[in-house]
Protein backbone atom coordinates (compact mmCIF):
# COMPACT_ATOMS: atom_id res chain seq x y z
CA UNK A 1 0.00 0.00 0.00
CA UNK A 2 1.28 3.50 -0.69
CA UNK A 3 1.93 6.09 1.97
CA UNK A 4 -1.13 8.19 1.38
CA UNK A 5 0.87 11.01 -0.14
CA UNK A 6 -0.42 13.59 -2.56
CA UNK A 7 0.89 13.79 -6.09
CA UNK A 8 -0.77 16.95 -7.31
CA UNK A 9 0.73 16.71 -10.78
CA UNK A 10 -1.81 14.17 -12.02
CA UNK A 11 -5.48 13.28 -11.75
CA UNK A 12 -5.74 10.03 -9.83
CA UNK A 13 -8.55 7.73 -10.93
CA UNK A 14 -10.37 4.62 -9.80
CA UNK A 15 -12.85 2.16 -11.27
CA UNK A 16 -15.45 0.28 -9.24
CA UNK A 17 -16.92 -3.15 -9.97
CA UNK A 18 -20.17 -3.73 -8.09
CA UNK A 19 -20.61 -7.49 -7.98
CA UNK A 20 -23.96 -9.11 -7.27
CA UNK A 21 -27.11 -10.58 -8.78
CA UNK A 22 -29.13 -8.71 -6.14
CA UNK A 23 -28.23 -5.34 -7.67
CA UNK A 24 -29.00 -6.42 -11.24
CA UNK A 25 -32.32 -7.99 -10.23
CA UNK A 26 -33.42 -4.77 -8.57
CA UNK A 27 -33.86 -6.52 -5.23
CA UNK A 28 -31.21 -4.39 -3.56
CA UNK A 29 -30.77 -0.66 -4.04
CA UNK A 30 -27.03 -0.10 -4.37
CA UNK A 31 -25.54 2.29 -1.86
CA UNK A 32 -21.87 1.54 -2.42
CA UNK A 33 -21.39 3.58 -5.59
CA UNK A 34 -22.20 6.84 -3.81
CA UNK A 35 -20.25 6.04 -0.66
CA UNK A 36 -17.16 4.78 -2.49
CA UNK A 37 -17.31 7.81 -4.81
CA UNK A 38 -17.53 10.27 -1.93
CA UNK A 39 -14.73 8.57 -0.01
CA UNK A 40 -12.48 8.40 -3.07
CA UNK A 41 -12.92 12.09 -3.73
CA UNK A 42 -11.81 12.90 -0.19
CA UNK A 43 -8.63 10.88 -0.93
CA UNK A 44 -8.00 12.97 -4.04
CA UNK A 45 -9.06 10.15 -6.38
CA UNK A 46 -11.83 10.41 -8.98
CA UNK A 47 -14.28 7.58 -9.52
CA UNK A 48 -14.12 7.39 -13.31
CA UNK A 49 -16.29 4.37 -14.12
CA UNK A 50 -18.51 1.77 -12.48
CA UNK A 51 -19.52 -1.61 -13.83
CA UNK A 52 -22.22 -3.70 -12.19
CA UNK A 53 -21.84 -7.39 -13.01
CA UNK A 54 -23.54 -10.62 -11.89
CA UNK A 55 -22.12 -13.42 -9.71
CA UNK A 56 -20.53 -15.05 -12.75
CA UNK A 57 -16.77 -15.57 -12.71
CA UNK A 58 -16.06 -14.70 -16.33
CA UNK A 59 -18.05 -11.47 -16.05
CA UNK A 60 -16.22 -10.41 -12.89
CA UNK A 61 -12.84 -11.18 -14.47
CA UNK A 62 -13.73 -9.14 -17.54
CA UNK A 63 -14.88 -6.09 -15.59
CA UNK A 64 -11.98 -6.12 -13.15
CA UNK A 65 -9.43 -6.58 -15.93
CA UNK A 66 -10.85 -3.62 -17.81
CA UNK A 67 -10.89 -1.37 -14.75
CA UNK A 68 -7.58 -2.32 -13.12
CA UNK A 69 -5.59 -1.62 -16.27
CA UNK A 70 -7.37 1.58 -17.09
CA UNK A 71 -7.38 3.37 -13.75
CA UNK A 72 -4.90 3.87 -10.90
CA UNK A 73 -7.07 1.85 -8.54
CA UNK A 74 -9.84 -0.70 -8.90
CA UNK A 75 -12.32 -1.29 -6.10
CA UNK A 76 -14.87 -4.09 -5.93
CA UNK A 77 -17.87 -4.49 -3.64
CA UNK A 78 -19.65 -7.76 -2.95
CA UNK A 79 -18.96 -11.46 -3.16
CA UNK A 80 -16.41 -11.92 -0.36
CA UNK A 81 -18.73 -13.62 2.13
CA UNK A 82 -19.00 -17.26 3.22
CA UNK A 83 -21.59 -18.66 0.81
CA UNK A 84 -21.41 -20.41 -2.59
CA UNK A 85 -22.45 -17.24 -4.43
CA UNK A 86 -19.41 -15.37 -3.06
CA UNK A 87 -16.87 -15.89 -5.84
CA UNK A 88 -15.02 -12.59 -6.04
CA UNK A 89 -11.76 -13.95 -4.60
CA UNK A 90 -11.68 -16.80 -7.12
CA UNK A 91 -12.43 -14.42 -9.98
CA UNK A 92 -9.70 -11.97 -8.96
CA UNK A 93 -7.15 -14.75 -8.53
CA UNK A 94 -8.03 -15.94 -12.02
CA UNK A 95 -7.69 -12.42 -13.42
CA UNK A 96 -4.25 -12.08 -11.80
CA UNK A 97 -3.11 -15.60 -12.64
CA UNK A 98 -2.32 -16.50 -9.03
CA UNK A 99 -3.66 -19.29 -6.80
CA UNK A 100 -6.15 -18.81 -3.97
CA UNK A 101 -4.56 -19.41 -0.56
CA UNK A 102 -5.65 -19.20 3.07
CA UNK A 103 -4.22 -16.00 4.57
CA UNK A 104 -2.83 -16.90 8.03
CA UNK A 105 -3.71 -13.55 9.61
CA UNK A 106 -7.24 -13.68 8.17
CA UNK A 107 -7.64 -17.19 9.58
CA UNK A 108 -6.50 -15.96 12.98
CA UNK A 109 -8.93 -13.03 12.86
CA UNK A 110 -11.81 -15.37 12.00
CA UNK A 111 -10.82 -17.87 14.70
CA UNK A 112 -10.96 -15.08 17.25
CA UNK A 113 -14.20 -13.60 15.91
CA UNK A 114 -16.05 -16.93 15.84
CA UNK A 115 -14.56 -18.34 19.05
CA UNK A 116 -17.76 -17.63 20.96
CA UNK A 117 -20.01 -17.77 17.90
CA UNK A 118 -19.84 -21.50 17.17
CA UNK A 119 -16.26 -21.76 15.92
CA UNK A 120 -14.71 -21.75 12.48
CA UNK A 121 -16.43 -23.98 9.92
CA UNK A 122 -15.85 -24.54 6.22
CA UNK A 123 -18.07 -21.64 5.15
CA UNK A 124 -16.42 -19.22 7.55
CA UNK A 125 -12.94 -20.35 6.54
CA UNK A 126 -13.85 -19.31 2.98
CA UNK A 127 -13.54 -15.74 4.22
CA UNK A 128 -9.81 -16.28 4.91
CA UNK A 129 -9.21 -17.17 1.24
CA UNK A 130 -7.26 -14.54 -0.73
CA UNK A 131 -5.41 -14.33 -4.03
CA UNK A 132 -1.78 -15.23 -3.24
CA UNK A 133 0.22 -12.12 -2.33
CA UNK A 134 -2.73 -10.18 -0.90
CA UNK A 135 -2.80 -7.99 2.20
CA UNK A 136 -5.81 -7.55 4.46
CA UNK A 137 -8.06 -4.54 4.96
CA UNK A 138 -9.41 -4.24 8.47
CA UNK A 139 -13.09 -4.96 8.92
CA UNK A 140 -14.18 -2.73 11.78
CA UNK A 141 -17.73 -4.08 11.83
CA UNK A 142 -17.58 -7.88 11.63
CA UNK A 143 -14.79 -10.42 11.43
CA UNK A 144 -13.96 -11.08 7.79
CA UNK A 145 -11.39 -8.63 6.37
CA UNK A 146 -11.30 -6.91 3.01
CA UNK A 147 -8.48 -7.73 0.64
CA UNK A 148 -5.88 -5.63 -1.17
CA UNK A 149 -3.65 -6.94 -3.92
CA UNK A 150 -1.74 -4.67 -6.28
CA UNK A 151 -4.09 -1.85 -7.22
CA UNK A 152 -7.17 -3.92 -6.37
CA UNK A 153 -9.29 -3.37 -3.26
CA UNK A 154 -11.94 -6.01 -2.51
CA UNK A 155 -14.61 -4.71 -0.18
CA UNK A 156 -17.79 -6.15 1.35
CA UNK A 157 -21.19 -5.77 -0.27
CA UNK A 158 -23.06 -4.78 2.89
CA UNK A 159 -22.76 -0.98 2.92
CA UNK A 160 -21.98 -0.41 6.60
CA UNK A 161 -19.23 -3.05 6.47
CA UNK A 162 -17.83 -1.41 3.33
CA UNK A 163 -17.92 1.92 5.17
CA UNK A 164 -15.75 0.50 7.93
CA UNK A 165 -13.25 -0.87 5.41
CA UNK A 166 -13.05 2.49 3.65
CA UNK A 167 -12.46 4.11 7.01
CA UNK A 168 -9.57 1.70 7.62
CA UNK A 169 -8.04 2.78 4.29
CA UNK A 170 -8.46 6.51 4.84
CA UNK A 171 -5.23 8.41 4.20
CA UNK A 172 -3.39 5.30 2.99
CA UNK A 173 -3.78 5.69 -0.77
CA UNK A 174 -1.79 8.04 -2.91
CA UNK A 175 -4.01 10.69 -4.45
CA UNK A 176 -4.10 14.22 -5.78
CA UNK A 177 -6.39 17.16 -5.21
CA UNK A 178 -10.01 16.46 -4.25
CA UNK A 179 -12.59 17.94 -6.58
CA UNK A 180 -14.43 20.72 -4.79
CA UNK A 181 -18.17 21.10 -5.49
CA UNK A 182 -20.15 24.22 -4.72
CA UNK A 183 -23.90 23.99 -5.23
CA UNK A 184 -26.03 26.99 -6.18
CA UNK A 185 -29.73 26.24 -5.76
CA UNK A 186 -32.58 28.32 -7.15
CA UNK A 187 -36.20 28.01 -8.16
CA UNK A 188 -35.04 28.37 -11.76
CA UNK A 189 -36.04 25.86 -14.43
CA UNK A 190 -32.75 24.77 -15.97
CA UNK A 191 -34.21 25.17 -19.44
CA UNK A 192 -34.58 28.93 -18.85
CA UNK A 193 -30.93 29.48 -17.94
CA UNK A 194 -29.14 26.94 -20.13
CA UNK A 195 -27.33 29.61 -22.16
CA UNK A 196 -26.11 31.39 -19.07
CA UNK A 197 -24.72 28.14 -17.65
CA UNK A 198 -22.94 27.28 -20.86
CA UNK A 199 -21.32 30.70 -21.00
CA UNK A 200 -20.31 30.56 -17.34
CA UNK A 201 -18.59 27.22 -17.90
CA UNK A 202 -16.85 28.40 -21.05
CA UNK A 203 -15.64 31.59 -19.37
CA UNK A 204 -13.79 29.84 -16.55
CA UNK A 205 -10.81 27.52 -17.03
CA UNK A 206 -10.71 24.29 -15.06
CA UNK A 207 -14.29 24.30 -13.89
CA UNK A 208 -17.33 22.30 -14.93
CA UNK A 209 -20.94 23.08 -14.15
CA UNK A 210 -23.56 20.36 -13.78
CA UNK A 211 -27.26 21.17 -13.80
CA UNK A 212 -29.75 18.98 -11.90
CA UNK A 213 -33.44 19.80 -11.78
CA UNK A 214 -35.50 19.32 -8.64
CA UNK A 215 -39.21 19.45 -7.91
CA UNK A 216 -40.36 20.77 -4.56
CA UNK A 217 -43.86 21.57 -3.42
CA UNK A 218 -45.06 21.78 -6.99
CA UNK A 219 -42.28 24.16 -8.03
CA UNK A 220 -39.44 23.51 -10.44
CA UNK A 221 -35.90 24.41 -9.48
CA UNK A 222 -32.32 23.41 -10.18
CA UNK A 223 -29.10 22.68 -8.39
CA UNK A 224 -26.17 24.08 -10.33
CA UNK A 225 -23.02 22.30 -9.20
CA UNK A 226 -19.72 24.05 -9.86
CA UNK A 227 -16.77 21.64 -9.72
CA UNK A 228 -13.08 22.43 -9.71
CA UNK A 229 -9.84 21.34 -8.08
CA UNK A 230 -9.43 25.00 -7.17
CA UNK A 231 -11.80 25.77 -4.28
CA UNK A 232 -11.47 29.54 -4.65
CA UNK A 233 -12.26 29.43 -8.34
CA UNK A 234 -15.26 27.15 -7.77
CA UNK A 235 -16.59 29.53 -5.12
CA UNK A 236 -16.05 32.58 -7.31
CA UNK A 237 -17.91 31.02 -10.25
CA UNK A 238 -20.69 29.87 -7.92
CA UNK A 239 -21.01 33.36 -6.42
CA UNK A 240 -21.19 34.91 -9.87
CA UNK A 241 -23.83 32.39 -10.93
CA UNK A 242 -25.87 33.12 -7.80
CA UNK A 243 -25.69 36.85 -8.54
CA UNK A 244 -26.85 36.35 -12.11
CA UNK A 245 -29.77 34.18 -11.00
CA UNK A 246 -30.78 36.75 -8.40
CA UNK A 247 -30.59 39.53 -11.01
CA UNK A 248 -32.98 37.51 -13.16
CA UNK A 249 -35.38 37.30 -10.23
CA UNK A 250 -35.07 33.63 -9.33
CA UNK A 251 -35.57 32.80 -5.67
CA UNK A 252 -32.40 31.27 -4.22
CA UNK A 253 -32.29 27.99 -2.29
CA UNK A 254 -29.28 28.18 0.00
CA UNK A 255 -26.96 25.23 -0.61
CA UNK A 256 -29.37 23.62 -3.04
CA UNK A 257 -31.70 20.69 -2.43
CA UNK B 1 -40.75 -1.10 -31.46
CA UNK B 2 -41.84 -4.72 -31.09
CA UNK B 3 -45.30 -5.88 -30.12
CA UNK B 4 -44.50 -6.82 -26.54
CA UNK B 5 -44.77 -10.53 -27.26
CA UNK B 6 -43.12 -13.28 -25.27
CA UNK B 7 -40.49 -15.51 -26.81
CA UNK B 8 -39.99 -18.07 -24.08
CA UNK B 9 -37.29 -19.96 -25.96
CA UNK B 10 -34.52 -17.54 -25.01
CA UNK B 11 -33.33 -15.40 -22.13
CA UNK B 12 -33.81 -11.75 -23.11
CA UNK B 13 -31.18 -9.39 -21.81
CA UNK B 14 -30.51 -5.68 -21.44
CA UNK B 15 -27.59 -3.45 -20.55
CA UNK B 16 -27.92 -0.08 -18.85
CA UNK B 17 -25.62 2.91 -19.18
CA UNK B 18 -26.08 5.38 -16.32
CA UNK B 19 -24.72 8.69 -17.60
CA UNK B 20 -23.75 11.49 -15.28
CA UNK B 21 -20.93 13.13 -13.34
CA UNK B 22 -23.30 13.50 -10.38
CA UNK B 23 -23.41 9.72 -9.86
CA UNK B 24 -19.63 9.28 -10.14
CA UNK B 25 -18.94 12.18 -7.78
CA UNK B 26 -21.19 10.65 -5.13
CA UNK B 27 -23.39 13.75 -5.10
CA UNK B 28 -26.46 11.83 -6.27
CA UNK B 29 -27.46 8.39 -5.03
CA UNK B 30 -28.52 6.48 -8.14
CA UNK B 31 -32.05 5.11 -8.05
CA UNK B 32 -32.40 4.18 -11.70
CA UNK B 33 -30.46 0.91 -11.63
CA UNK B 34 -32.94 -0.68 -9.22
CA UNK B 35 -36.05 0.69 -10.90
CA UNK B 36 -34.95 -0.17 -14.43
CA UNK B 37 -33.89 -3.66 -13.23
CA UNK B 38 -37.24 -4.29 -11.56
CA UNK B 39 -39.21 -3.01 -14.53
CA UNK B 40 -37.15 -5.03 -17.02
CA UNK B 41 -37.71 -8.22 -15.06
CA UNK B 42 -41.46 -7.68 -15.21
CA UNK B 43 -41.09 -7.46 -19.00
CA UNK B 44 -39.26 -10.81 -19.05
CA UNK B 45 -35.90 -9.15 -19.67
CA UNK B 46 -32.83 -9.56 -17.46
CA UNK B 47 -30.61 -6.62 -16.64
CA UNK B 48 -27.23 -8.21 -17.35
CA UNK B 49 -24.78 -5.34 -16.90
CA UNK B 50 -24.65 -1.69 -15.89
CA UNK B 51 -21.95 0.84 -16.69
CA UNK B 52 -21.83 4.24 -15.03
CA UNK B 53 -19.93 6.77 -17.13
CA UNK B 54 -19.26 10.53 -16.93
CA UNK B 55 -20.64 13.30 -19.15
CA UNK B 56 -17.88 12.72 -21.70
CA UNK B 57 -18.89 11.87 -25.25
CA UNK B 58 -16.20 9.27 -25.95
CA UNK B 59 -16.98 7.44 -22.71
CA UNK B 60 -20.70 7.35 -23.44
CA UNK B 61 -20.07 6.09 -26.97
CA UNK B 62 -17.80 3.33 -25.69
CA UNK B 63 -20.24 2.10 -23.04
CA UNK B 64 -23.28 2.20 -25.30
CA UNK B 65 -21.46 0.44 -28.12
CA UNK B 66 -20.40 -2.35 -25.78
CA UNK B 67 -23.88 -2.80 -24.33
CA UNK B 68 -26.01 -2.44 -27.47
CA UNK B 69 -24.08 -5.13 -29.33
CA UNK B 70 -23.93 -7.53 -26.42
CA UNK B 71 -27.51 -7.47 -25.18
CA UNK B 72 -30.96 -7.47 -26.76
CA UNK B 73 -31.68 -3.99 -25.44
CA UNK B 74 -29.59 -1.09 -24.20
CA UNK B 75 -31.11 1.52 -21.91
CA UNK B 76 -29.50 4.79 -20.88
CA UNK B 77 -30.46 7.19 -18.11
CA UNK B 78 -29.37 10.81 -17.92
CA UNK B 79 -28.10 13.52 -20.21
CA UNK B 80 -31.20 14.26 -22.30
CA UNK B 81 -32.09 17.59 -20.67
CA UNK B 82 -31.70 21.16 -21.94
CA UNK B 83 -28.27 22.15 -20.60
CA UNK B 84 -24.74 22.01 -21.96
CA UNK B 85 -23.87 18.93 -19.88
CA UNK B 86 -26.67 16.94 -21.56
CA UNK B 87 -24.82 15.23 -24.40
CA UNK B 88 -26.37 11.76 -24.58
CA UNK B 89 -28.17 12.40 -27.89
CA UNK B 90 -24.98 13.59 -29.56
CA UNK B 91 -23.04 10.61 -28.22
CA UNK B 92 -25.64 8.09 -29.38
CA UNK B 93 -25.84 9.68 -32.82
CA UNK B 94 -22.08 9.41 -33.05
CA UNK B 95 -22.17 5.76 -31.94
CA UNK B 96 -24.77 5.00 -34.61
CA UNK B 97 -23.15 7.13 -37.30
CA UNK B 98 -26.28 9.20 -37.93
CA UNK B 99 -26.85 12.96 -37.72
CA UNK B 100 -28.76 14.71 -34.94
CA UNK B 101 -32.05 16.16 -36.17
CA UNK B 102 -35.01 18.00 -34.64
CA UNK B 103 -37.89 15.54 -34.28
CA UNK B 104 -41.07 17.36 -35.45
CA UNK B 105 -43.36 15.60 -32.95
CA UNK B 106 -40.97 16.31 -30.08
CA UNK B 107 -40.86 19.96 -31.11
CA UNK B 108 -44.65 20.07 -31.12
CA UNK B 109 -44.82 18.47 -27.67
CA UNK B 110 -42.35 21.00 -26.29
CA UNK B 111 -44.17 23.93 -27.93
CA UNK B 112 -47.34 22.81 -26.20
CA UNK B 113 -45.67 22.14 -22.88
CA UNK B 114 -43.88 25.47 -22.74
CA UNK B 115 -46.69 27.56 -24.25
CA UNK B 116 -47.63 28.95 -20.86
CA UNK B 117 -44.19 28.48 -19.34
CA UNK B 118 -42.29 31.17 -21.25
CA UNK B 119 -42.20 29.57 -24.68
CA UNK B 120 -39.64 27.49 -26.53
CA UNK B 121 -36.06 28.78 -26.34
CA UNK B 122 -32.77 27.39 -27.59
CA UNK B 123 -32.16 25.28 -24.47
CA UNK B 124 -35.64 23.80 -24.53
CA UNK B 125 -35.42 23.07 -28.24
CA UNK B 126 -32.36 20.93 -27.44
CA UNK B 127 -34.80 18.43 -25.96
CA UNK B 128 -36.37 17.89 -29.42
CA UNK B 129 -33.01 16.76 -30.81
CA UNK B 130 -32.79 13.04 -31.62
CA UNK B 131 -30.50 10.74 -33.59
CA UNK B 132 -32.01 10.56 -37.10
CA UNK B 133 -34.51 7.71 -37.35
CA UNK B 134 -35.55 7.77 -33.69
CA UNK B 135 -39.04 7.39 -32.23
CA UNK B 136 -40.27 9.11 -29.09
CA UNK B 137 -41.06 7.64 -25.69
CA UNK B 138 -43.87 9.44 -23.90
CA UNK B 139 -42.87 11.52 -20.90
CA UNK B 140 -45.86 11.35 -18.55
CA UNK B 141 -44.32 13.74 -16.02
CA UNK B 142 -42.86 16.68 -17.89
CA UNK B 143 -42.65 17.72 -21.52
CA UNK B 144 -39.47 16.34 -23.02
CA UNK B 145 -39.86 12.81 -24.39
CA UNK B 146 -37.51 9.84 -24.14
CA UNK B 147 -36.00 8.47 -27.31
CA UNK B 148 -35.94 5.03 -28.89
CA UNK B 149 -33.73 4.09 -31.82
CA UNK B 150 -33.02 0.50 -32.78
CA UNK B 151 -32.47 -1.43 -29.56
CA UNK B 152 -31.54 1.74 -27.67
CA UNK B 153 -33.84 3.45 -25.15
CA UNK B 154 -32.76 6.87 -23.89
CA UNK B 155 -34.44 7.80 -20.63
CA UNK B 156 -34.32 10.77 -18.28
CA UNK B 157 -31.96 10.89 -15.31
CA UNK B 158 -34.53 12.17 -12.80
CA UNK B 159 -35.97 8.94 -11.35
CA UNK B 160 -39.66 9.87 -11.31
CA UNK B 161 -39.47 11.00 -14.94
CA UNK B 162 -37.70 7.76 -15.85
CA UNK B 163 -40.46 5.87 -14.05
CA UNK B 164 -43.09 7.52 -16.23
CA UNK B 165 -41.15 6.65 -19.38
CA UNK B 166 -40.83 3.03 -18.29
CA UNK B 167 -44.55 3.01 -17.64
CA UNK B 168 -45.14 4.23 -21.18
CA UNK B 169 -43.04 1.32 -22.50
CA UNK B 170 -44.72 -1.36 -20.38
CA UNK B 171 -45.80 -4.33 -22.46
CA UNK B 172 -44.23 -2.96 -25.64
CA UNK B 173 -40.90 -4.82 -25.63
CA UNK B 174 -40.46 -8.43 -26.61
CA UNK B 175 -39.33 -10.52 -23.66
CA UNK B 176 -39.35 -13.98 -22.15
CA UNK B 177 -40.19 -15.34 -18.75
CA UNK B 178 -39.68 -13.07 -15.75
CA UNK B 179 -37.33 -14.42 -13.12
CA UNK B 180 -39.34 -15.27 -10.01
CA UNK B 181 -37.71 -14.57 -6.63
CA UNK B 182 -38.88 -16.12 -3.39
CA UNK B 183 -37.19 -14.84 -0.23
CA UNK B 184 -36.74 -16.98 2.86
CA UNK B 185 -35.70 -14.89 5.85
CA UNK B 186 -34.34 -16.23 9.12
CA UNK B 187 -32.22 -15.16 12.06
CA UNK B 188 -29.52 -17.48 10.72
CA UNK B 189 -25.95 -16.26 10.14
CA UNK B 190 -25.22 -17.21 6.54
CA UNK B 191 -21.85 -18.57 7.56
CA UNK B 192 -23.58 -21.28 9.62
CA UNK B 193 -25.69 -22.60 6.78
CA UNK B 194 -23.41 -22.10 3.77
CA UNK B 195 -23.10 -25.84 3.09
CA UNK B 196 -26.85 -26.35 3.22
CA UNK B 197 -27.38 -23.53 0.72
CA UNK B 198 -24.78 -24.86 -1.65
CA UNK B 199 -26.37 -28.32 -1.59
CA UNK B 200 -29.86 -26.91 -2.04
CA UNK B 201 -28.74 -25.02 -5.14
CA UNK B 202 -26.90 -28.00 -6.57
CA UNK B 203 -29.88 -30.31 -6.01
CA UNK B 204 -32.33 -28.26 -8.05
CA UNK B 205 -32.02 -27.59 -11.78
CA UNK B 206 -32.64 -24.11 -13.05
CA UNK B 207 -32.58 -22.33 -9.73
CA UNK B 208 -30.04 -20.09 -8.07
CA UNK B 209 -29.88 -19.11 -4.42
CA UNK B 210 -28.46 -15.80 -3.27
CA UNK B 211 -27.59 -15.18 0.37
CA UNK B 212 -27.73 -11.66 1.83
CA UNK B 213 -26.99 -10.98 5.49
CA UNK B 214 -28.98 -8.47 7.51
CA UNK B 215 -28.52 -6.96 10.94
CA UNK B 216 -31.61 -6.16 12.99
CA UNK B 217 -31.82 -5.08 16.59
CA UNK B 218 -28.36 -6.43 17.29
CA UNK B 219 -29.11 -9.81 15.74
CA UNK B 220 -27.63 -11.35 12.61
CA UNK B 221 -29.88 -12.89 10.00
CA UNK B 222 -30.01 -13.64 6.31
CA UNK B 223 -32.32 -13.37 3.37
CA UNK B 224 -32.01 -16.40 1.15
CA UNK B 225 -33.34 -15.53 -2.29
CA UNK B 226 -34.39 -18.41 -4.51
CA UNK B 227 -34.57 -17.39 -8.18
CA UNK B 228 -36.01 -19.35 -11.10
CA UNK B 229 -38.05 -18.84 -14.24
CA UNK B 230 -40.27 -21.60 -12.84
CA UNK B 231 -42.37 -20.12 -10.04
CA UNK B 232 -43.47 -23.52 -8.70
CA UNK B 233 -39.92 -24.79 -8.51
CA UNK B 234 -38.70 -21.61 -6.80
CA UNK B 235 -41.48 -21.91 -4.22
CA UNK B 236 -40.76 -25.61 -3.61
CA UNK B 237 -37.05 -24.97 -3.04
CA UNK B 238 -37.85 -22.01 -0.79
CA UNK B 239 -40.31 -24.12 1.24
CA UNK B 240 -37.74 -26.86 1.64
CA UNK B 241 -35.12 -24.33 2.71
CA UNK B 242 -37.50 -22.82 5.26
CA UNK B 243 -38.21 -26.30 6.68
CA UNK B 244 -34.50 -27.08 7.01
CA UNK B 245 -33.84 -23.76 8.75
CA UNK B 246 -36.74 -24.36 11.15
CA UNK B 247 -35.46 -27.89 11.88
CA UNK B 248 -32.10 -26.35 12.80
CA UNK B 249 -33.88 -24.04 15.23
CA UNK B 250 -33.50 -20.71 13.41
CA UNK B 251 -36.28 -18.21 13.97
CA UNK B 252 -38.02 -17.43 10.67
CA UNK B 253 -38.61 -13.90 9.35
CA UNK B 254 -41.63 -14.10 7.08
CA UNK B 255 -40.76 -12.74 3.63
CA UNK B 256 -37.30 -11.66 4.73
CA UNK B 257 -36.12 -8.17 5.55
Amino acid sequence: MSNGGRDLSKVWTAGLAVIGDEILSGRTQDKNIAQVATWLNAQGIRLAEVRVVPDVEARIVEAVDALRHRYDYCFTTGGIGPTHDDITVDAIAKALGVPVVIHPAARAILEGYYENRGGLNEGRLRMARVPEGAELIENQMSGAPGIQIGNLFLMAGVPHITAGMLDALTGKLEGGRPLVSVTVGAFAPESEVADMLRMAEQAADGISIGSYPFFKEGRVGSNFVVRSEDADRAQAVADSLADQLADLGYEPVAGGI
Side-chain angles (χ1 to χ4, degrees), chain A:
Chain A
M1 224 169 283
S2 82
N3 62 1
R6 300 259 169 190
D7 177 351
L8 304 182
S9 66
K10 63 169 271 189
V11 175
W12 292 78
T13 57
L16 168 64
V18 173
I19 299 165
D21 291 347
E22 73 279 17
I23 307 294
L24 290 172
S25 73
R27 181 187 187 279
T28 301
Q29 161 79 57
D30 169 75
K31 293 179 179 165
N32 282 322
I33 296 174
Q35 81 164 343
V36 170
T38 303
W39 179 86
L40 281 170
N41 190 48
Q43 315 308 306
I45 301 163
R46 310 274 174 82
L47 181 58
E49 181 176 353
V50 180
R51 298 194 185 189
V52 187
V53 294
D55 298 321
V56 174
E57 188 176 270
R59 305 294 313 287
I60 301 170
V61 169
E62 182 197 8
V64 166
D65 265 343
L67 298 172
R68 74 189 177 97
H69 290 305
R70 191 164 196 169
Y71 305 110
D72 295 309
Y73 303 103
C74 173
F75 282 69
T76 71
T77 59
I80 61 169
T83 54
H84 62 280
D85 55 336
D86 293 308
I87 60 170
T88 298
V89 167
D90 304 83
I92 300 293
K94 192 161 215 170
L96 299 177
V98 300
V100 173
V101 298
I102 296 285
H103 193 294
R107 185 188 179 116
I109 290 168
L110 293 166
E111 279 172 347
Y113 184 79
Y114 287 111
E115 190 175 1
N116 298 313
R117 292 180 172 90
L120 207 53
N121 60 22
E122 195 183 333
R124 288 166 172 174
L125 191 56
R126 272 178 70 81
M127 296 188 285
R129 298 166 75 246
V130 302
E132 192 174 62
E135 296 177 41
L136 304 181
I137 301 167
E138 187 192 352
N139 176 344
Q140 305 178 337
M141 301 294 164
S142 50
I147 296 164
Q148 187 246 328
I149 180 164
N151 70 341
L152 284 160
F153 295 78
L154 282 50
M155 323 288 283
V158 178
H160 79 270
I161 299 179
T162 306
M165 291 178 178
L166 292 173
D167 192 45
L169 286 174
T170 295
K172 294 188 176 159
L173 273 66
E174 192 169 12
R177 289 184 208 277
L179 202 61
V180 175
S181 294
V182 183
T183 298
V184 178
F187 282 106
E190 58 174 0
S191 60
E192 288 185 4
V193 296
D195 282 349
M196 192 184 84
L197 295 175
R198 185 196 318 267
M199 286 186 286
E201 184 179 90
Q202 283 170 353
D205 275 347
I207 69 122
S208 71
I209 304 178
S211 173
Y212 309 107
F214 64 74
F215 305 88
K216 191 183 180 186
E217 295 158 9
R219 298 172 71 192
V220 178
S222 307
N223 294 312
F224 306 110
V225 179
V226 182
R227 303 184 181 97
S228 175
E229 290 185 359
D230 182 331
D232 292 341
R233 190 175 299 172
Q235 191 62 55
V237 171
D239 289 345
S240 160
L241 209 52
D243 287 346
Q244 291 180 70
L245 289 163
D247 287 348
L248 291 169
Y250 294 112
E251 182 187 337
V253 179
I257 283 180

